[in-house]
């Protein structure tokens, strides 16, 4: 079961072109198991019709305070009761100004004032409006009132100008919302993660790599940030967007990954080695493309450093977590690896089931024994792993 199942979210939509992104946001929320109730300002209905949100959310859409569809005629109270949060996306300069000053002149602003749950806002406006002094004062007031601001993003705007004020993409807002709702089990912890494959160059156009999508490592980076950690993600080449909250360092080879880990590890409390590091690199890789010939070609391989072992044997080591993808004798090989690399925690998975998939099924091995995490989306496995780490790691209070 997805951890977000049955959580009610009130999604407020105010007037802005970015309202079209909220259709995608609604879809993402529903897909993740949230019960989404959309409330639109009158202006918002000029950008996207309520029918779109009703169809996507499966719930009635409200915009009028006097809507007679509510038997007690109090949608401003009912809608937020039992909700995990109210999220306003897009939040226009006007709606932010009203909320910052406690005005309640329509359904959305009235239910915000009457809510008994957290409020998050994703601003969307032209760059001049964003920088406008009253808007900046309102943002500061909202922050002082404990309201979390998601974004805004920077870039090209619908009006053609470039700058701050764009609404974040739906996926980013979704990730921020999920992060805001997770318990802060790793607050104050600095987490270093390796993810993805390494690439060992043979010549200018060829190389040796491992099969690794990076999905598990990226999900762990996201889950660590959700838990309140400061996250550094050292990544081989993947097709994935950087998870929110991570400082990402891109590398190609195992030696580059090792160097990046060396320069970051002293400032880390927890090290999670998820990367599929190539065991060998090519000796005397050619700068130029090797030309085809009828002769046999021999490539000499030399062992790469074991990054995880080099960290776990440091004098002042962080809490080290390893991964073991095995294609047979999973538990036996994994436990031997845990002892050899001196790890307090190792995550074992069958290589066949994990590679590239969106779901995973793992066994956690530590000094107390085994914990099986049944098949689930990688982000759910990642959150449960973070909970387990928080329980075992001595630096976590
Ligand atoms: O020995 P093996 O490669 O199976 O160990 C897997 C674990 O060790 C993973 O956590 C992986 O990220 C890490 N590792 C590493 N450096 C290597 C090889 C593996 O950090 N050169």
């Amino acid at each position: 079961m997805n951890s977000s199942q049955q959580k009610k979210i009130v999604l407020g939509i105010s007037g802005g072109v970015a309202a079209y992104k909220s259709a995608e946001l609604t879809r993402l929320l529903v897909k993740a198991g949230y019960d989404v109730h959309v409330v639109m300002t009158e202006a918002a209905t000029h950008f996207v019709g309520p029918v779109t949100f009703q169809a996507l959310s499966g719930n009635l859409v409200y915009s009028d305070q006097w809507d007679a569809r509510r038997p007690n005629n109090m949608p401003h109270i009912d809608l937020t009761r039992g909700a995990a949060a109210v999220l306003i996306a897009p939040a226009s300069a006007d709606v932010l100004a009203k909320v910052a000053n406690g005005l309640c002149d329509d359904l959305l602003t009235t239910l915000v004032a009457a809510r008994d749950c957290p409020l998050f806002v994703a601003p969307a406006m032209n760059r001049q409006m964003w920088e406008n002094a009253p808007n900046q004062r309102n943002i500061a007031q909202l922050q002082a009132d404990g309201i979390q601001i998601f974004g805004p993003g920077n870039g090209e705007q619908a009006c053609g100008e470039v700058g701050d004020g764009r609404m974040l993409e739906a996926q980013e807002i979704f990730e921020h919302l999920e992060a805001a709702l997770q318990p802060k089990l790793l607050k104050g912890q600095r987490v270093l993660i390796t993810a993805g494959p390494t690439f060992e160059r043979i010549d200018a156009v060829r190389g040796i790599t491992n099969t690794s999508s990076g999905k598990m490592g990226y999900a762990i980076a996201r889950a660590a940030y959700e838990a309140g950690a400061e996250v550094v993600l050292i990544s081989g080449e993947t097709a994935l967007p950087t998870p929110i909250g991570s400082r990402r360092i891109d590398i190609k080879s195992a030696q580059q990954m090792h160097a990046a880990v060396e320069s970051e590890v002293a400032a880390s409390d927890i090290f999670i080695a998820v990367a599929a590091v190539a065991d060998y690199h090519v000796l005397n890789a050619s700068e130029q493309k090797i030309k085809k010939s009828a002769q046999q070609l021999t490539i000499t391989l030399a062992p790469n450093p074991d990054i995880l072992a080099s960290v776990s044997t440091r004098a002042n080591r962080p809490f080290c977590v390893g991964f073991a993808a095995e294609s047979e004798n999973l538990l036996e090989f994994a436990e031997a690896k845990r002892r050899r690399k001196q790890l307090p925690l190792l995550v074992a998975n069958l290589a066949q089931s994990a590679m590239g998939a969106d779901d995973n099924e793992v066994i956690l091995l530590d000094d107390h024994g085994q914990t099986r995490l049944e098949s689930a989306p990688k982000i759910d496995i990642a959150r449960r792993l973070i909970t387990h780490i928080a329980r075992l790691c001595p630096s976590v209070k």
Side-chain angles (χ1 to χ4, degrees), residues 310-331:
S310 77
V311 172
S312 76
T313 50
R314 285 171 74 98
N316 229 337
R317 69 176 194 167
F319 183 84
C320 289
V321 182
F323 269 69
E326 303 290 349
S327 56
E328 56 177 348
N329 299 335
L330 178 61
L331 285 180

Side-chain angles (χ1 to χ4, degrees), residues 115-378:
R115 78 188 190 281
D116 58 359
C117 60
L119 170 65
F120 310 116
V121 296
M125 65 197 75
N126 164 270
R127 67 183 175 89
Q128 287 292 1
M129 291 176 77
W130 172 251
E131 281 155 23
N132 199 20
N135 183 63
Q136 288 299 315
R137 274 203 306 276
N138 292 333
I139 293 291
Q141 184 59 55
L142 292 167
Q143 281 167 329
D145 292 343
I147 292 161
Q148 214 174 312
I149 320 279
F150 298 163
N154 177 284
E156 197 175 323
Q157 306 197 312
C159 52
E161 296 181 6
V162 178
D164 286 336
R166 304 176 71 218
M167 188 167 88
L168 296 181
E169 298 306 319
Q171 178 68 30
E172 293 171 298
I173 297 174
F174 171 71
E175 289 184 19
H176 277 292
L177 175 75
E178 292 233 287
L181 297 176
Q182 291 297 321
K184 303 299 166 218
L185 300 175
L186 294 186
K187 194 167 171 38
Q189 299 292 308
R190 295 161 304 176
V191 178
L192 180 63
I193 299 168
T194 64
T198 66
F199 179 84
E200 310 301 330
R201 207 162 55 82
I202 295 173
D203 68 11
V205 296
R206 303 183 184 93
I208 303 170
T209 189
N210 282 337
T211 311
S212 170
S213 65
K215 285 179 184 172
M216 195 64 234
Y218 278 50
I220 292 168
R222 183 176 149 196
Y225 172 72
E226 288 179 344
E230 210 179 284
V231 182
V232 178
L233 175 62
I234 300 176
S235 176
E237 284 184 309
T238 72
L240 303 172
T242 305
I244 59 155
S246 286
R247 175 160 66 86
R248 173 168 156 184
I249 301 171
D250 287 327
I251 54 84
K252 281 197 166 164
S253 68
Q255 283 160 314
Q256 288 169 352
M257 181 173 274
H258 190 214
V261 166
E262 284 291 309
S263 71
E264 296 289 336
V265 72
S268 306
D269 303 300
I270 298 170
F271 177 54
I272 312 177
V274 197
V277 184
D279 290 326
Y280 298 92
H281 65 273
V282 179
L283 267 188
N284 306 324
S286 167
E287 282 298 319
Q288 307 301 334
K289 182 178 173 187
I290 300 170
K291 301 309 287 179
K292 187 162 60 179
S293 82
Q295 304 297 310
Q296 281 194 346
L297 177 67
T298 303
I299 295 171
T300 308
L301 300 175
N304 274 330
D306 189 314
I307 302 167
L308 176 55
S310 77
V311 172
S312 76
T313 50
R314 285 171 74 98
N316 229 337
R317 69 176 194 167
F319 183 84
C320 289
V321 182
F323 269 69
E326 303 290 349
S327 56
E328 56 177 348
N329 299 335
L330 178 61
L331 285 180
E332 187 193 324
F333 287 172
E335 183 57 21
K337 191 168 294 180
R338 187 174 85 87
R339 292 187 184 283
R340 193 169 61 248
K341 300 201 189 198
Q342 302 176 34
L343 306 173
L345 176 61
L346 185 127
V347 183
N349 58 217
L350 271 177
Q352 302 89 315
S353 61
M355 295 287 183
D358 288 327
D359 288 11
N360 202 357
E361 179 183 352
V362 303
I363 300 167
L364 310 182
L365 304 176
D366 58 41
D367 289 341
H368 309 287
Q370 305 171 6
T371 310
R372 185 178 287 271
L373 305 185
E374 300 296 341
S375 181
K378 284 181 174 170

Side-chain angles (χ1 to χ4, degrees), residues 68-89:
R69 289 175 300 175
R70 216 72 199 177
N72 64 359
N73 231 310
M74 290 192 207
H76 68 292
I77 306 287
D78 291 9
L79 281 166
T80 61
R81 295 303 177 260
V86 175
L87 164 64
I88 307 182

